[in-house]
Structures are given as structure tokens and as C-alpha cells.
Amino acid sequence: MCEHPSAVKVVMDAGGAVAFVAALHAYPSNVEMQRRGCLALATMTDGEEEHKRAVVNAGGVAVAVDALRAHPSDMEVQRAGCVVLANIVLGDEACKKAVVDAGGVAVA
């Protein structure tokens, strides 16, 4: 998804997962924020196992599920939110459990 994995690492090292999760949590009804935030989380979780875990630990699964539930008719939110969940379930067992526990299977 990202042509420059080193850019994702810089964002992650700077606390990007926490920042994007906080923004999504703060503006749940803002569809543009949900689109862009879920897309950012999808990019962050596309690859490195430690990035998947950082997004999970920041609460990224819950905000992705919340975005999917809050904006069921917005195809961009639906696509990006599902990519977040799909990327995370490719991680370790704790990542898979986080998606199931947050209701990600039911909304995806």
C-alpha cells in the first residue's frame, strides 16, 4: 500500500498510531476524518508485525470497527476500515484476537 516503508516507520516511531487513533476517536461523525484516518491505519498495518501490534495497542481495531459501523454507506470508509482489519488479522494471535474481540468479524 505504501511505496515508502521507511516513511511509515518514521510515522510509527513518532507515535503516529496513537495520534491517528485519537483523531478518529475525537471525530467519529466526520466522514472525511474517518476515511483518511482509516486509510492511514491501513497503511501503517500493511507489513511490519510490530506496526500491527502498535496499532492494536493504540486502540486502532476499535476505532476501525466504530468507523465501519458509523458510516455503513460510505464505500471509502468501508474499504479502508476493512483493509485495517484484514491487515491486522494477518498478524500474530493477539492481533487476531483483538479483531474478534472488537466485533471486527461481524462488521467486515
Side-chain angles (χ1 to χ4, degrees):
M1 207 172 191
C2 182
E3 294 179 19
H4 303 286
S6 61
V8 173
K9 182 172 178 8
V10 169
V11 170
M12 294 301 292
D13 289 349
V18 172
F20 276 96
V21 168
L24 287 165
H25 184 68
Y27 300 98
S29 62
N30 183 320
V31 70
E32 190 62 29
M33 177 67 76
Q34 299 301 306
R35 285 179 192 146
R36 292 178 185 269
C38 284
L39 185 57
L41 293 178
T43 300
M44 290 177 202
T45 57
D46 184 28
E48 298 294 324
E49 188 78 22
E50 71 180 88
H51 296 171
K52 293 177 194 329
R53 283 192 301 271
V55 169
V56 168
N57 292 338
V61 175
V63 295
V65 169
D66 289 347
L68 290 166
R69 287 184 175 141
H71 304 283
S73 62
D74 189 279
M75 291 302 107
E76 291 180 53
V77 171
Q78 294 298 307
R79 183 189 65 77
C82 285
V83 171
V84 172
L85 299 179
N87 286 347
I88 290 173
V89 298
L90 294 175
D92 61 20
E93 289 304 312
C95 289
K96 291 173 178 60
K97 183 175 180 342
V99 172
V100 171
D101 290 351
V105 175
V107 296

